[in-house]
Amino acid sequence: MLPLSPSLSNPLCFRCRNRAVLVRKECGFIPKAMASSSAGTGPAFFNGFGRRDLVLLGLSSSLLVVAPSSGSLAEEELKMASVVDDINAYSYLYPVGLPSKNFMFKWVESRKPERYSSAAPLSPDARLRIVSERVDIIDNLIISVSIGPPNFQILKSKEKSSWSAKDIADSVLSDKSALRVTSTQRLAESSVLDAHSSDINGEPYWYYEYLVRKSPTKNAQDSNLYRHYVASTAERDGYLYTLNASTLSKQWTKMGPFLEKTVSSFRLLPPTENYVPPYKDPWRFW
């Protein structure tokens, strides 16, 4: 177990408003007095998690503990485990349990990491593909990583420094639906609540929160029941790498802060000899 040092800073800070909209703040440690002030100086990223950054180097330790500050959703330490995908060269953390409440997430790795070209396509034109996924069926949680080329009908420039977070969100969402519909119709299925970017180690990361009007559960009969997502996207080798984390909208207050921590931890890693770039043998299906 690796305790997090309060001296570490997180480049991203958010404030959850009444409708759980994320508001960007690039900051370090936020004093308690500031955390209780106006909307412009809200509490640190994801209910106190942003006061310390996860060190993603040396992820050989598979479990670490996040100790939330006072006033967070869970008033006890949260265990998180690491995922390192050498094939696609990325990593992230996901929640494992709350020991003091004897609560454990029930994750199942529904799709083990695989190279981009052998992953099943999400859309008919096969642009966006899920390269890994884990689900918690009991708590209705999904964490997935997808890879796909930018949609230059939305991103007018090939220079990524000019890309806005909202355009990145629209680019990814336009290729996300598995229905045989146009990109415009796919976008109409989703509502982006917030989008912003941050520079991490000299590379832009785009963060966004959105709702999808369709739920993959049998008991989601209510037309007002949405699926609530948070996502992080980064670019490498001309492809967008996106981590999506979601739950049902009615569970967002309870589960959302945990998923936000996962999204904030997503990083592209320096490629190793096991790395397979998306453009290598794109015709392969094994």
Side-chain angles (χ1 to χ4, degrees), residues 22-54:
L22 304 177
V23 178
R24 177 190 181 195
K25 293 186 72 66
E26 295 187 8
C27 56
F29 179 81
I30 297 182
K32 186 173 181 180
M34 294 176 63
S36 61
S37 60
S38 64
T41 56
F45 180 42
F46 301 149
N47 294 309
F49 186 67
R51 296 178 182 175
R52 61 217 73 179
D53 196 11
L54 293 175

Side-chain angles (χ1 to χ4, degrees), residues 61-76:
S61 175
S62 61
L63 276 183
L64 53 130
V65 176
V66 176
S69 65
S70 177
S72 66
L73 198 69
E75 294 295 337
E76 63 273 295

